[in-house]
Amino acid sequence: MISRRQLLAGAAASAVSPALAVEQETLASAAAKVGLIFGASIDAAAFAHPAYLALYQRETQMYVTDVAMKFDWLRPTQDTWNFGPADEIVARAQADGKLLRGHTLIWNDNAPAWLKSLSLREIERVFDEHIERVVARYAGRLHSWDVVNEPFWPMDNKPGGWRDGPWFAAMGAGYVDRAFRRVASIDPRVKLTLNEAQCDNDSDWGRSIRPKLRALVERMQDKGTPLHAVGLQSHLQSQMPRNYPQFAAYVSQLGARGVEIYISEFDVNDMAFPAAAADRDAAVALLAGDFLTRVAAIPEVKLVVTWQLSDLYSWYRDLAIKAGMSRMPRPLPFGNTLQPKAMRTAMIEAFRKRPVLGYVEPQTMKRY
Ligand code: G3I
């Protein structure tokens, strides 16, 4: 017979202190409790830095290929296919029981010179060949593909605000539907994502791209082009105008069309925030928390991906170094020594505010 005293003692011992509960909570576990998937982009840096890889293994439920599955990485020359780095990430995701997103099959930016030197007919042939070979290689292994990245870029002054580049030059705007249909015919189980930048800010770029992206989604659906998700990159810009309630309404409108919404490249450009690290981290956390609280409350938002996990490997750091800047950016939930930052806490708190839509079992790699 257990005495009341023993019962209370047992309860006290098993009850985890709030502080410890937060410590044991990870971005992945906090997300999963409210029906979200949390992931991060990953590249070779994680394989050269075991403690960084351990951070992915602990904090994420999904890996996203940062550069390894991009056209310029897979096809450094017309005669070579460089699958090594991508295969390594696929194998690692499988070994770690993680979901995997492929980024990105078709992007008019960052095209290698050899591709741009081809005739338009040749570019079309390379387009079809690339999709067929890459999608077939990873069929059944990916949660989702960024099939087309950043279709719009008004600064290229093309009619309709389309981003210029070899694919657009060779096929016009029709390259988008052509890509989605071809991927679906090769891997019918992978979720097909249209991924776009800038929509989160209220600059001229954001105001111009948002309606164009929504109209493209509507046209694709009207034509019966297979489309499962819209990725909104959400590289938040501290120096740009923003209206997150308006952005949340835009996200809801997109979701109402029956597509999933992915916050697909989340980080914070902190350039407008104070230089002092503690103040800057607090400002980044406030911005990230406000944004995520609003969008995570939308049921169609299904995943949040940060663009790397640590400031040490952020693309903003590469930009700062190339620009010869002395102040290094602090855009991510973990710092240069992989220490958790205020942004991580703010993200967990934002996830917790999401109306609970049903627990999502931490999904492991499975054939879709
Ligand atoms: O790894 C090589 C290194 O061996 C070589 O010495 C060096 C020479 O410059 O290049 C290194 O590769 C770099 C690669 O990142 C890995 O760090 C490439 O130069 C560099 O161009 C590449 O930049 C990536 C960029 O996309 C272009 O692919 C960034 O890391 C990546 O964060 C960025 O991500 C994009 C998304 O795909 C689309 N949305 C915007 C986002 C940020 O620009």
Side-chain angles (χ1 to χ4, degrees):
M1 171 71 174
I2 292 179
S3 72
R4 185 172 178 280
R5 176 189 295 273
Q6 283 170 315
L7 197 64
L8 289 176
S14 64
V16 170
S17 71
L20 188 57
V22 171
E23 192 46 46
Q24 287 175 345
E25 186 83 285
T26 66
L27 286 162
S29 62
K33 285 174 185 165
V34 292
L36 280 174
I37 296 168
F38 173 71
S41 73
I42 191 170
D43 67 11
F47 301 134
H49 186 173
Y52 192 39
L53 180 59
L55 204 57
Y56 282 88
Q57 292 165 331
R58 191 185 77 228
E59 293 284 333
T60 77
Q61 199 182 332
M62 169 184 275
Y63 297 163
V64 182
T65 56
D66 191 319
V67 291
M69 287 192 182
K70 286 175 179 170
F71 185 93
D72 59 328
W73 274 63
L74 290 172
R75 307 292 307 276
T77 71
Q78 189 165 5
D79 308 323
T80 51
W81 292 79
N82 175 34
F83 285 117
D87 289 351
E88 186 173 15
I89 293 172
V90 172
R92 171 51 61 191
Q94 186 87 27
D96 293 351
K98 305 295 183 183
L99 298 167
L100 183 62
R101 255 171 73 70
H103 173 81
T104 176
L105 274 172
I106 297 297
W107 186 16
N108 275 292
D109 201 350
N110 278 66
W114 69 263
L115 178 66
K116 293 187 274 194
S117 70
L118 300 180
S119 71
L120 298 183
R121 292 286 305 135
E122 266 297 279
I123 291 173
E124 261 191 83
R125 187 194 60 74
V126 169
F127 178 91
D128 291 340
E129 171 198 60
H130 184 72
I131 290 173
E132 275 155 21
R133 183 152 179 197
V134 176
V135 175
R137 186 181 186 91
Y138 300 117
R141 315 286 296 277
L142 302 183
H143 165 274
S144 49
W145 263 117
D146 277 339
V147 175
V148 168
N149 186 50
E150 301 174 8
F152 297 108
W153 187 236
M155 305 279 276
D156 284 344
N157 297 313
K158 287 296 174 186
W162 295 95
R163 179 180 292 274
D164 199 6
W167 312 126
F168 181 76
M171 293 166 271
Y175 82 89
V176 177
D177 292 88
R178 183 171 174 154
F180 276 83
R181 289 177 183 280
R182 191 167 290 273
V183 178
S185 69
I186 300 160
D187 184 353
R189 289 161 298 183
V190 69
K191 293 187 177 187
L192 309 179
T193 311
L194 176 66
N195 196 50
E196 185 57 278
Q198 302 296 343
C199 295
D200 48 275
N201 67 61
D202 212 32
S203 69
D204 292 346
W205 295 341
R207 291 176 177 209
S208 168
I209 291 173
R210 282 196 297 270
K212 291 176 173 62
L213 179 67
R214 183 170 53 221
L216 175 57
V217 168
E218 290 166 2
R219 281 200 306 277
M220 290 173 74
Q221 292 180 321
D222 292 346
K223 284 189 275 188
T225 300
L227 170 67
H228 304 111
V230 174
L232 299 168
Q233 292 180 9
S234 306
H235 294 290
L236 305 188
Q237 300 298 318
S238 61
Q239 77 289 5
M240 283 189 182
R242 51 188 171 269
N243 180 334
Y244 293 157
Q246 178 192 69
F247 175 70
Y250 175 79
V251 172
S252 289
Q253 289 161 6
L254 273 183
R257 297 202 57 91
V259 291
E260 295 187 335
I261 305 295
Y262 300 160
I263 304 301
S264 56
E265 302 183 19
F266 190 56
D267 55 19
V268 179
N269 180 343
D270 62 3
M271 66 185 289
F273 288 153
D279 298 339
R280 186 143 43 111
D281 288 352
V284 164
L286 204 58
L287 191 70
D290 176 39
F291 176 87
L292 270 190
T293 300
R294 296 178 188 281
V295 296
I298 299 164
E300 292 79 10
V301 173
K302 299 299 184 189
L303 72 85
V304 175
V305 169
T306 54
W307 213 237
Q308 292 281 337
L309 274 176
S310 159
D311 300 342
L312 189 61
Y313 297 104
S314 170
W315 64 290
Y316 283 118
R317 184 182 178 86
D318 294 343
L319 294 181
I321 291 168
K322 283 176 186 162
M325 292 166 66
S326 57
R327 168 172 149 162
M328 288 296 113
R330 303 172 69 91
L332 287 164
F334 294 88
N336 292 338
T337 58
L338 311 187
Q339 81 285 8
K341 292 161 58 192
M343 182 179 172
R344 177 181 180 274
T345 306
M347 289 177 68
I348 288 176
E349 287 168 356
F351 292 159
R352 286 178 171 163
K353 291 174 188 166
R354 174 174 161 107
V356 177
L357 304 166
Y359 179 76
V360 174
E361 273 303 316
Q363 303 174 51
T364 56
M365 179 62 72
K366 62 188 178 205
R367 296 182 69 81
Y368 276 82

